[in-house]
Amino acid sequence: MIQEKERVEVNATSASITGKMSIFDHEQVVFCQDNATGLKAIIAIHNTTLGPAVGGTRMWTYVSEADAITDVLRLSRGMTYKNSLAGLNIGGGKAVIIGDSRKDKNEILMRRFGKFVNSLNGKYITAEDVGISTRDMEFVKMETDHVVGLPEYLGGLGDPSVVTAYGVYMGMKASMKELSGQDSLTGKKILVQGVGSVGENLIASIVKEKAEVFVSDIYAEKVKKVVDAYGVTAVDPVEVYDMPMDIYSPCALGATLNDENLSHLKCAIICGAANNQLANEERHGKMVLEMGMLYAPDYLVNAGGIINCYGELMGFSKSAAMSKTEKIYTTALEIFQRSKQENIPTYLAANQIAEQRIGSVGKIRSKI
Ligand code: NAD
Protein backbone atom coordinates (compact mmCIF):
# COMPACT_ATOMS: atom_id res chain seq x y z
CA MET A 1 0.00 0.00 0.00
CA ILE A 2 1.15 3.49 -0.72
CA GLN A 3 2.47 5.49 2.24
CA GLU A 4 0.80 8.79 3.11
CA LYS A 5 3.93 10.80 2.38
CA GLU A 6 4.17 9.35 -1.13
CA ARG A 7 0.55 10.02 -1.90
CA VAL A 8 -0.25 12.21 -4.90
CA GLU A 9 -3.61 13.34 -6.17
CA VAL A 10 -5.24 10.48 -8.06
CA ASN A 11 -6.99 12.97 -10.29
CA ALA A 12 -3.77 14.50 -11.57
CA THR A 13 -4.76 15.14 -15.17
CA SER A 14 -1.30 14.39 -16.54
CA ALA A 15 -1.29 10.77 -15.40
CA SER A 16 -2.16 7.92 -17.82
CA ILE A 17 -4.82 5.48 -16.66
CA THR A 18 -2.28 2.85 -15.65
CA GLY A 19 -0.32 5.68 -14.03
CA LYS A 20 -3.40 6.62 -12.00
CA MET A 21 -3.94 2.93 -11.17
CA SER A 22 -0.39 2.65 -9.85
CA ILE A 23 -0.87 5.53 -7.36
CA PHE A 24 -3.03 3.40 -5.08
CA ASP A 25 -1.97 0.05 -6.57
CA HIS A 26 -5.24 -0.85 -8.31
CA GLU A 27 -5.28 -4.36 -9.75
CA GLN A 28 -7.63 -3.98 -12.71
CA VAL A 29 -9.90 -1.48 -14.44
CA VAL A 30 -12.49 -2.60 -16.98
CA PHE A 31 -14.12 -0.18 -19.43
CA CYS A 32 -17.58 -1.22 -20.63
CA GLN A 33 -19.21 0.29 -23.74
CA ASP A 34 -22.29 -0.74 -25.70
CA ASN A 35 -23.85 1.29 -28.53
CA ALA A 36 -27.15 -0.62 -28.50
CA THR A 37 -28.00 0.28 -24.91
CA GLY A 38 -25.89 3.44 -24.55
CA LEU A 39 -24.05 1.89 -21.62
CA LYS A 40 -20.79 3.50 -20.62
CA ALA A 41 -19.41 2.05 -17.41
CA ILE A 42 -16.12 1.52 -15.61
CA ILE A 43 -15.41 -1.27 -13.12
CA ALA A 44 -12.39 -0.84 -10.85
CA ILE A 45 -10.91 -3.68 -8.80
CA HIS A 46 -8.58 -2.26 -6.20
CA ASN A 47 -7.40 -5.17 -4.08
CA THR A 48 -8.44 -8.83 -3.82
CA THR A 49 -6.10 -9.96 -1.01
CA LEU A 50 -9.04 -10.61 1.34
CA GLY A 51 -11.35 -12.08 -1.31
CA PRO A 52 -13.35 -11.08 -4.40
CA ALA A 53 -13.78 -7.34 -4.86
CA VAL A 54 -17.20 -6.24 -3.61
CA GLY A 55 -18.69 -2.75 -3.92
CA GLY A 56 -21.66 -0.93 -5.36
CA THR A 57 -22.35 0.63 -8.73
CA ARG A 58 -22.90 4.39 -8.90
CA MET A 59 -24.79 6.08 -11.73
CA TRP A 60 -23.91 9.75 -12.08
CA THR A 61 -23.76 12.53 -14.68
CA TYR A 62 -19.98 12.89 -14.67
CA VAL A 63 -18.81 16.06 -16.39
CA SER A 64 -15.94 14.17 -18.01
CA GLU A 65 -14.68 10.63 -18.36
CA ALA A 66 -11.63 11.66 -16.33
CA ASP A 67 -13.96 12.55 -13.42
CA ALA A 68 -15.63 9.14 -13.67
CA ILE A 69 -12.24 7.39 -13.62
CA THR A 70 -11.11 9.41 -10.61
CA ASP A 71 -14.33 8.60 -8.79
CA VAL A 72 -14.25 4.86 -9.46
CA LEU A 73 -10.58 4.63 -8.46
CA ARG A 74 -11.20 6.50 -5.19
CA LEU A 75 -14.38 4.59 -4.41
CA SER A 76 -12.92 1.14 -5.11
CA ARG A 77 -9.91 1.84 -2.91
CA GLY A 78 -12.30 3.00 -0.18
CA MET A 79 -14.07 -0.37 -0.41
CA THR A 80 -10.81 -2.24 0.23
CA TYR A 81 -10.33 -0.28 3.45
CA LYS A 82 -13.98 -0.48 4.44
CA ASN A 83 -14.19 -4.24 3.95
CA SER A 84 -10.95 -4.80 5.81
CA LEU A 85 -11.83 -2.59 8.78
CA ALA A 86 -15.26 -4.22 9.08
CA GLY A 87 -13.51 -7.62 9.33
CA LEU A 88 -15.11 -8.95 6.14
CA ASN A 89 -13.46 -11.55 3.94
CA ILE A 90 -13.81 -9.58 0.73
CA GLY A 91 -11.67 -7.18 -1.27
CA GLY A 92 -12.45 -3.76 -2.69
CA GLY A 93 -14.06 -2.84 -5.99
CA LYS A 94 -16.61 -0.41 -7.36
CA ALA A 95 -18.31 0.46 -10.65
CA VAL A 96 -19.66 3.67 -12.16
CA ILE A 97 -22.19 4.06 -14.95
CA ILE A 98 -21.92 7.40 -16.74
CA GLY A 99 -25.40 8.88 -17.18
CA ASP A 100 -28.45 10.40 -15.55
CA SER A 101 -30.18 7.79 -13.41
CA ARG A 102 -33.44 9.75 -13.66
CA LYS A 103 -33.51 9.63 -17.47
CA ASP A 104 -31.06 7.09 -18.89
CA LYS A 105 -31.61 4.07 -16.65
CA ASN A 106 -33.72 1.14 -17.84
CA GLU A 107 -33.88 -2.66 -17.82
CA ILE A 108 -31.67 -3.29 -20.85
CA LEU A 109 -28.98 -0.89 -19.69
CA MET A 110 -28.78 -2.62 -16.32
CA ARG A 111 -28.87 -6.11 -17.88
CA ARG A 112 -26.08 -5.18 -20.29
CA PHE A 113 -24.10 -3.95 -17.31
CA GLY A 114 -24.87 -7.29 -15.60
CA LYS A 115 -23.33 -9.12 -18.57
CA PHE A 116 -20.11 -7.16 -18.17
CA VAL A 117 -20.05 -7.98 -14.44
CA ASN A 118 -20.59 -11.64 -15.33
CA SER A 119 -17.63 -11.61 -17.71
CA LEU A 120 -15.36 -11.08 -14.68
CA ASN A 121 -16.35 -14.51 -13.34
CA GLY A 122 -16.88 -13.41 -9.75
CA LYS A 123 -13.71 -11.39 -9.32
CA TYR A 124 -16.04 -8.38 -8.89
CA ILE A 125 -19.43 -8.60 -7.14
CA THR A 126 -21.69 -5.62 -7.55
CA ALA A 127 -24.47 -3.96 -5.49
CA GLU A 128 -26.33 -0.62 -5.46
CA ASP A 129 -24.91 2.84 -4.77
CA VAL A 130 -26.00 6.41 -5.58
CA GLY A 131 -28.50 6.45 -8.45
CA ILE A 132 -29.02 2.68 -8.36
CA SER A 133 -31.82 0.86 -6.52
CA THR A 134 -32.61 -2.65 -5.35
CA ARG A 135 -34.91 -2.91 -8.39
CA ASP A 136 -31.95 -2.20 -10.71
CA MET A 137 -30.03 -5.01 -9.03
CA GLU A 138 -32.89 -7.35 -9.97
CA PHE A 139 -32.15 -6.60 -13.64
CA VAL A 140 -28.43 -7.18 -13.08
CA LYS A 141 -29.28 -10.49 -11.41
CA MET A 142 -31.00 -11.61 -14.62
CA GLU A 143 -27.55 -11.69 -16.25
CA THR A 144 -25.20 -12.62 -13.43
CA ASP A 145 -25.06 -14.28 -10.02
CA HIS A 146 -22.27 -11.92 -8.99
CA VAL A 147 -24.62 -9.39 -7.43
CA VAL A 148 -25.80 -8.62 -3.87
CA GLY A 149 -28.13 -6.01 -2.39
CA LEU A 150 -31.09 -7.96 -3.72
CA PRO A 151 -34.68 -7.86 -2.44
CA GLU A 152 -35.73 -10.53 0.02
CA TYR A 153 -37.86 -12.46 -2.46
CA LEU A 154 -34.72 -13.06 -4.55
CA GLY A 155 -32.81 -14.39 -1.55
CA GLY A 156 -31.29 -11.03 -0.62
CA LEU A 157 -31.38 -9.08 2.64
CA GLY A 158 -33.18 -6.10 1.10
CA ASP A 159 -32.20 -2.45 0.88
CA PRO A 160 -28.71 -2.03 2.44
CA SER A 161 -29.27 1.67 3.15
CA VAL A 162 -31.31 0.85 6.29
CA VAL A 163 -28.29 -0.94 7.74
CA THR A 164 -25.91 1.78 6.52
CA ALA A 165 -27.97 4.41 8.33
CA TYR A 166 -27.86 2.32 11.52
CA GLY A 167 -24.05 2.23 11.32
CA VAL A 168 -23.87 6.01 10.87
CA TYR A 169 -26.18 6.40 13.87
CA MET A 170 -23.82 4.17 15.90
CA GLY A 171 -20.89 6.30 14.70
CA MET A 172 -22.64 9.49 15.85
CA LYS A 173 -23.34 8.05 19.28
CA ALA A 174 -19.73 6.83 19.67
CA SER A 175 -18.45 10.27 18.61
CA MET A 176 -20.69 11.97 21.16
CA LYS A 177 -19.49 9.50 23.83
CA GLU A 178 -15.90 10.34 22.95
CA LEU A 179 -16.47 14.09 23.31
CA SER A 180 -18.86 14.28 26.23
CA GLY A 181 -18.69 10.92 27.98
CA GLN A 182 -22.37 10.32 27.13
CA ASP A 183 -23.72 9.03 23.85
CA SER A 184 -27.13 10.67 23.89
CA LEU A 185 -28.04 12.76 20.83
CA THR A 186 -31.03 14.40 22.54
CA GLY A 187 -31.10 18.14 21.88
CA LYS A 188 -28.04 18.03 19.63
CA LYS A 189 -28.12 20.11 16.44
CA ILE A 190 -27.52 17.69 13.57
CA LEU A 191 -27.47 18.63 9.91
CA VAL A 192 -28.07 15.81 7.41
CA GLN A 193 -26.83 16.80 3.97
CA GLY A 194 -28.52 14.61 1.35
CA VAL A 195 -31.87 13.09 2.21
CA GLY A 196 -31.71 10.03 -0.04
CA SER A 197 -32.00 6.40 1.04
CA VAL A 198 -29.44 6.59 3.87
CA GLY A 199 -30.21 10.18 4.88
CA GLU A 200 -33.89 9.51 5.36
CA ASN A 201 -33.35 6.34 7.43
CA LEU A 202 -30.82 8.20 9.57
CA ILE A 203 -33.25 11.07 10.14
CA ALA A 204 -35.84 8.57 11.43
CA SER A 205 -33.39 7.35 14.13
CA ILE A 206 -32.11 10.75 15.28
CA VAL A 207 -35.58 12.30 15.35
CA LYS A 208 -36.67 9.41 17.58
CA GLU A 209 -33.84 10.34 19.94
CA LYS A 210 -35.11 13.95 19.98
CA ALA A 211 -32.15 15.55 18.23
CA GLU A 212 -32.76 18.96 16.64
CA VAL A 213 -32.51 17.96 12.98
CA PHE A 214 -31.75 20.14 9.94
CA VAL A 215 -31.79 18.83 6.38
CA SER A 216 -30.52 19.90 2.99
CA ASP A 217 -30.74 18.43 -0.50
CA ILE A 218 -30.41 19.70 -4.07
CA TYR A 219 -33.93 18.44 -4.83
CA ALA A 220 -36.68 20.48 -3.17
CA GLU A 221 -39.23 17.64 -3.35
CA LYS A 222 -36.93 15.35 -1.34
CA VAL A 223 -36.53 18.01 1.33
CA LYS A 224 -40.28 18.57 1.48
CA LYS A 225 -40.89 14.84 1.90
CA VAL A 226 -38.72 14.59 5.03
CA VAL A 227 -39.82 17.94 6.44
CA ASP A 228 -43.45 16.76 6.19
CA ALA A 229 -42.73 13.26 7.51
CA TYR A 230 -40.40 14.08 10.43
CA GLY A 231 -40.93 17.74 11.27
CA VAL A 232 -37.28 18.61 10.60
CA THR A 233 -36.02 22.03 9.42
CA ALA A 234 -34.88 22.70 5.85
CA VAL A 235 -31.60 24.52 5.18
CA ASP A 236 -30.62 25.99 1.84
CA PRO A 237 -27.69 23.95 0.37
CA VAL A 238 -25.55 27.11 0.10
CA GLU A 239 -25.97 27.86 3.83
CA VAL A 240 -24.93 24.43 5.10
CA TYR A 241 -21.30 25.24 5.89
CA ASP A 242 -22.08 28.51 7.68
CA MET A 243 -24.51 27.00 10.13
CA PRO A 244 -23.22 26.30 13.66
CA MET A 245 -24.11 22.72 14.60
CA ASP A 246 -23.03 19.85 16.82
CA ILE A 247 -22.89 17.23 14.08
CA TYR A 248 -22.40 17.69 10.35
CA SER A 249 -23.58 14.52 8.60
CA PRO A 250 -22.60 14.37 4.91
CA CYS A 251 -24.95 11.85 3.29
CA ALA A 252 -24.81 13.06 -0.33
CA LEU A 253 -21.61 12.88 -2.35
CA GLY A 254 -17.95 12.88 -1.31
CA ALA A 255 -15.21 15.53 -1.07
CA THR A 256 -17.28 18.02 0.93
CA LEU A 257 -14.41 18.34 3.42
CA ASN A 258 -12.25 20.53 1.21
CA ASP A 259 -10.32 23.83 1.52
CA GLU A 260 -13.35 25.98 0.77
CA ASN A 261 -15.93 24.27 3.02
CA LEU A 262 -13.53 23.70 5.92
CA SER A 263 -12.84 27.40 6.11
CA HIS A 264 -16.52 27.84 7.09
CA LEU A 265 -17.53 24.66 8.89
CA LYS A 266 -18.42 25.03 12.59
CA CYS A 267 -19.25 21.73 14.26
CA ALA A 268 -17.94 19.37 16.93
CA ILE A 269 -18.41 16.10 15.03
CA ILE A 270 -18.37 15.04 11.38
CA CYS A 271 -20.15 11.74 10.88
CA GLY A 272 -22.03 10.75 7.74
CA ALA A 273 -22.57 8.10 5.09
CA ALA A 274 -20.96 9.72 2.04
CA ASN A 275 -17.88 7.96 0.71
CA ASN A 276 -14.56 9.83 0.44
CA GLN A 277 -15.61 12.88 2.47
CA LEU A 278 -12.04 14.17 2.74
CA ALA A 279 -11.23 15.69 -0.66
CA ASN A 280 -7.58 14.99 0.06
CA GLU A 281 -7.15 12.53 2.92
CA GLU A 282 -3.79 13.74 4.14
CA ARG A 283 -4.39 17.49 3.85
CA HIS A 284 -8.00 17.70 4.97
CA GLY A 285 -7.74 14.92 7.57
CA LYS A 286 -5.01 16.99 9.24
CA MET A 287 -6.99 20.23 8.89
CA VAL A 288 -10.02 18.68 10.59
CA LEU A 289 -7.84 17.50 13.49
CA GLU A 290 -6.19 20.91 13.85
CA MET A 291 -9.59 22.64 13.80
CA GLY A 292 -10.61 20.50 16.77
CA MET A 293 -13.43 18.63 15.03
CA LEU A 294 -13.88 14.91 15.61
CA TYR A 295 -14.07 13.09 12.28
CA ALA A 296 -15.67 9.65 12.37
CA PRO A 297 -14.02 7.99 9.34
CA ASP A 298 -16.56 7.64 6.53
CA TYR A 299 -15.73 4.09 5.56
CA LEU A 300 -15.97 2.96 9.18
CA VAL A 301 -19.41 4.40 9.88
CA ASN A 302 -20.96 3.64 6.48
CA ALA A 303 -19.98 -0.05 6.48
CA GLY A 304 -23.50 -1.26 7.39
CA GLY A 305 -24.52 -1.56 3.74
CA ILE A 306 -21.59 -3.74 2.79
CA ILE A 307 -22.07 -5.80 5.97
CA ASN A 308 -25.65 -6.39 4.81
CA CYS A 309 -24.37 -7.42 1.35
CA TYR A 310 -21.76 -9.68 2.95
CA GLY A 311 -24.59 -11.31 4.89
CA GLU A 312 -26.15 -12.21 1.57
CA LEU A 313 -22.93 -13.82 0.36
CA MET A 314 -22.40 -15.72 3.61
CA GLY A 315 -26.02 -16.59 4.27
CA PHE A 316 -26.54 -14.77 7.57
CA SER A 317 -29.72 -12.96 8.59
CA LYS A 318 -30.68 -9.28 8.59
CA SER A 319 -30.57 -9.22 12.39
CA ALA A 320 -27.04 -10.69 12.31
CA ALA A 321 -26.09 -7.91 9.86
CA MET A 322 -27.53 -5.32 12.26
CA SER A 323 -25.61 -6.82 15.22
CA LYS A 324 -22.37 -6.78 13.25
CA THR A 325 -23.08 -3.18 12.25
CA GLU A 326 -23.63 -2.22 15.89
CA LYS A 327 -19.92 -2.99 16.48
CA ILE A 328 -19.10 0.20 14.55
CA TYR A 329 -19.68 1.92 17.92
CA THR A 330 -16.77 0.10 19.64
CA THR A 331 -14.50 0.23 16.59
CA ALA A 332 -15.03 4.01 16.43
CA LEU A 333 -14.00 4.37 20.09
CA GLU A 334 -10.87 2.27 19.41
CA ILE A 335 -9.96 4.49 16.47
CA PHE A 336 -10.50 7.68 18.50
CA GLN A 337 -8.28 6.22 21.21
CA ARG A 338 -5.49 5.36 18.76
CA SER A 339 -5.78 8.80 17.16
CA LYS A 340 -5.36 10.48 20.57
CA GLN A 341 -2.52 8.22 21.73
CA GLU A 342 -0.50 8.68 18.56
CA ASN A 343 -1.66 12.23 17.86
CA ILE A 344 -2.69 11.31 14.32
CA PRO A 345 -5.88 12.11 12.40
CA THR A 346 -8.68 9.58 12.84
CA TYR A 347 -8.70 8.64 9.15
CA LEU A 348 -5.06 7.59 9.49
CA ALA A 349 -5.74 5.54 12.61
CA ALA A 350 -8.48 3.72 10.67
CA ASN A 351 -6.24 3.24 7.62
CA GLN A 352 -3.51 1.72 9.75
CA ILE A 353 -5.87 -0.88 11.23
CA ALA A 354 -7.28 -1.75 7.78
CA GLU A 355 -3.82 -1.99 6.19
CA GLN A 356 -2.46 -4.13 9.03
CA ARG A 357 -5.21 -6.70 8.48
CA ILE A 358 -4.65 -6.84 4.72
CA GLY A 359 -0.91 -7.12 5.25
CA SER A 360 -1.29 -9.99 7.74
CA VAL A 361 -3.80 -11.93 5.65
CA GLY A 362 -1.61 -11.36 2.58
CA LYS A 363 1.27 -13.08 4.39
CA ILE A 364 -0.84 -16.16 5.15
CA ARG A 365 -2.20 -16.27 1.60
CA SER A 366 1.27 -16.24 0.07
CA LYS A 367 2.06 -19.34 2.15
CA ILE A 368 -0.92 -21.40 0.94
P1 NAD B 1 -29.12 8.51 -2.66
O1 NAD B 1 -28.83 8.72 -4.10
O2 NAD B 1 -30.34 7.77 -2.28
O3 NAD B 1 -29.14 9.92 -1.89
C1 NAD B 1 -28.20 10.91 -2.10
C2 NAD B 1 -28.94 12.23 -1.89
O4 NAD B 1 -27.99 13.30 -1.92
C3 NAD B 1 -29.96 12.54 -2.98
O5 NAD B 1 -31.18 12.88 -2.37
C4 NAD B 1 -29.35 13.71 -3.73
O6 NAD B 1 -30.32 14.57 -4.27
C5 NAD B 1 -28.57 14.38 -2.64
N1 NAD B 1 -27.50 15.28 -3.09
C6 NAD B 1 -26.64 15.14 -4.12
N2 NAD B 1 -25.79 16.17 -4.16
C7 NAD B 1 -26.11 16.99 -3.12
C8 NAD B 1 -25.61 18.22 -2.62
N3 NAD B 1 -24.58 18.83 -3.21
N4 NAD B 1 -26.19 18.77 -1.53
C9 NAD B 1 -27.23 18.16 -0.92
N5 NAD B 1 -27.76 17.01 -1.35
C10 NAD B 1 -27.21 16.42 -2.43
O7 NAD B 1 -27.81 7.81 -2.05
P2 NAD B 1 -27.70 7.00 -0.69
O8 NAD B 1 -27.83 5.56 -0.98
O9 NAD B 1 -28.55 7.63 0.35
O10 NAD B 1 -26.16 7.25 -0.33
C11 NAD B 1 -25.73 8.49 0.20
C12 NAD B 1 -24.21 8.47 0.35
O11 NAD B 1 -23.81 7.40 1.20
C13 NAD B 1 -23.44 8.24 -0.96
O12 NAD B 1 -22.24 8.95 -0.93
C14 NAD B 1 -23.15 6.77 -0.94
O13 NAD B 1 -22.01 6.41 -1.71
C15 NAD B 1 -22.91 6.54 0.52
N6 NAD B 1 -23.17 5.17 0.94
C16 NAD B 1 -24.39 4.62 0.75
C17 NAD B 1 -24.60 3.31 1.17
C18 NAD B 1 -25.96 2.66 1.02
O14 NAD B 1 -26.19 1.61 1.64
N7 NAD B 1 -26.88 3.22 0.25
C19 NAD B 1 -23.58 2.58 1.77
C20 NAD B 1 -22.36 3.20 1.97
C21 NAD B 1 -22.15 4.50 1.55
Side-chain angles (χ1 to χ4, degrees), residues 351-362:
N351 282 6
Q352 286 175 354
I353 297 170
E355 286 173 7
Q356 270 162 12
R357 178 164 178 251
I358 295 168
S360 312
V361 174

Side-chain angles (χ1 to χ4, degrees), residues 283-315:
R283 176 177 168 76
H284 300 116
K286 193 161 168 263
M287 266 174 88
V288 165
L289 177 72
E290 285 168 358
M291 290 169 72
M293 296 184 286
L294 181 64
Y295 170 62
D298 47 13
Y299 69 83
L300 163 71
V301 302
N302 72 14
I306 197 69
I307 292 170
N308 194 60
C309 291
Y310 187 68
E312 263 178 61
L313 286 175
M314 304 304 288

Side-chain angles (χ1 to χ4, degrees), residues 208-227:
K208 215 180 272 172
E209 207 176 316
K210 298 195 166 36
E212 194 184 343
V213 181
F214 299 83
V215 297
S216 169
D217 199 288
I218 47 172
Y219 293 114
E221 79 272 12
K222 290 195 168 196
V223 172
K224 183 174 180 332
K225 185 179 162 215
V226 292
V227 166

Side-chain angles (χ1 to χ4, degrees), residues 58 60 75 79 82 94 102 128-132 159-165 192-200 216-219 222 237 240-241 250-254 256 272-276 298 302-306:
R58 172 171 295 188
W60 194 251
L75 290 165
M79 289 311 299
K82 186 187 308 196
K94 201 92 181 183
R102 294 183 157 214
E128 51 274 84
D129 190 58
V130 174
I132 299 287
D159 183 2
S161 61
V162 179
V163 192
T164 303
V192 180
Q193 180 185 42
V195 292
S197 315
V198 180
E200 184 169 354
S216 169
D217 199 288
I218 47 172
Y219 293 114
K222 290 195 168 196
V240 162
Y241 305 106
C251 294
L253 296 183
T256 57
N275 286 307
N276 298 326
D298 47 13
N302 72 14
I306 197 69

Side-chain angles (χ1 to χ4, degrees), residues 4-315:
E4 288 303 311
K5 61 182 163 44
E6 296 165 3
R7 187 156 294 162
V8 287
E9 280 290 86
V10 80
N11 59 356
T13 45
S14 55
S16 64
I17 291 171
T18 50
K20 288 181 180 192
M21 287 171 69
S22 75
I23 294 169
F24 293 118
D25 206 12
H26 281 77
E27 290 179 14
Q28 192 176 2
V29 173
V30 181
F31 289 83
C32 315
Q33 200 291 132
D34 182 58
N35 283 349
T37 55
L39 177 72
K40 294 197 189 317
I42 311 168
I43 300 170
I45 295 171
H46 176 248
N47 188 297
T48 55
T49 305
L50 297 177
V54 187
T57 296
R58 172 171 295 188
M59 187 160 183
W60 194 251
T61 49
Y62 293 100
V63 173
S64 67
E65 207 166 87
D67 281 358
I69 293 168
T70 299
D71 206 27
V72 79
L73 291 179
R74 280 168 58 93
L75 290 165
S76 56
R77 172 178 172 269
M79 289 311 299
T80 299
Y81 281 78
K82 186 187 308 196
N83 295 339
S84 174
L85 189 63
L88 312 179
N89 229 16
I90 46 179
K94 201 92 181 183
V96 295
I97 297 176
I98 301 170
D100 187 339
S101 63
R102 294 183 157 214
K103 292 199 295 236
D104 306 331
K105 202 172 59 173
N106 54 45
E107 176 180 350
I108 55 160
L109 184 100
M110 294 313 300
R111 291 182 68 158
R112 186 69 187 91
F113 175 68
K115 274 183 174 292
F116 279 112
V117 171
N118 201 48
S119 72
L120 291 168
N121 295 317
K123 192 172 177 190
Y124 169 64
I125 300 170
T126 198
E128 51 274 84
D129 190 58
V130 174
I132 299 287
S133 66
T134 312
R135 175 74 184 129
D136 300 319
M137 286 300 113
E138 290 186 45
F139 295 135
V140 172
K141 171 74 178 163
M142 289 172 190
E143 305 297 338
T144 183
D145 284 336
H146 306 304
V147 50
V148 285
L150 293 166
E152 278 150 27
Y153 81 92
L154 278 177
L157 289 182
D159 183 2
S161 61
V162 179
V163 192
T164 303
Y166 185 58
V168 176
Y169 176 57
M170 287 295 112
M172 279 184 183
K173 289 182 79 63
S175 304
M176 197 49 78
K177 171 92 180 162
E178 173 68 16
L179 288 190
S180 69
Q182 298 209 334
D183 66 13
S184 169
L185 301 177
T186 304
K188 302 296 173 197
K189 269 190 171 184
I190 304 177
L191 183 129
V192 180
Q193 180 185 42
V195 292
S197 315
V198 180
E200 184 169 354
N201 282 302
L202 176 64
I203 290 164
S205 299
I206 58 181
V207 162
K208 215 180 272 172
E209 207 176 316
K210 298 195 166 36
E212 194 184 343
V213 181
F214 299 83
V215 297
S216 169
D217 199 288
I218 47 172
Y219 293 114
E221 79 272 12
K222 290 195 168 196
V223 172
K224 183 174 180 332
K225 185 179 162 215
V226 292
V227 166
D228 291 350
Y230 301 99
V232 293
T233 307
V235 175
D236 191 302
V238 297
E239 285 167 15
V240 162
Y241 305 106
D242 290 309
M243 202 191 109
M245 55 192 134
D246 295 301
I247 304 181
Y248 163 54
S249 184
C251 294
L253 296 183
T256 57
L257 302 174
N258 53 38
D259 287 343
E260 166 64 20
N261 297 342
L262 283 176
S263 66
H264 295 258
L265 196 62
K266 293 176 217 72
C267 67
I269 291 166
I270 302 166
C271 179
N275 286 307
N276 298 326
Q277 291 165 26
L278 298 163
N280 176 308
E281 264 192 348
E282 197 171 351
R283 176 177 168 76
H284 300 116
K286 193 161 168 263
M287 266 174 88
V288 165
L289 177 72
E290 285 168 358
M291 290 169 72
M293 296 184 286
L294 181 64
Y295 170 62
D298 47 13
Y299 69 83
L300 163 71
V301 302
N302 72 14
I306 197 69
I307 292 170
N308 194 60
C309 291
Y310 187 68
E312 263 178 61
L313 286 175
M314 304 304 288

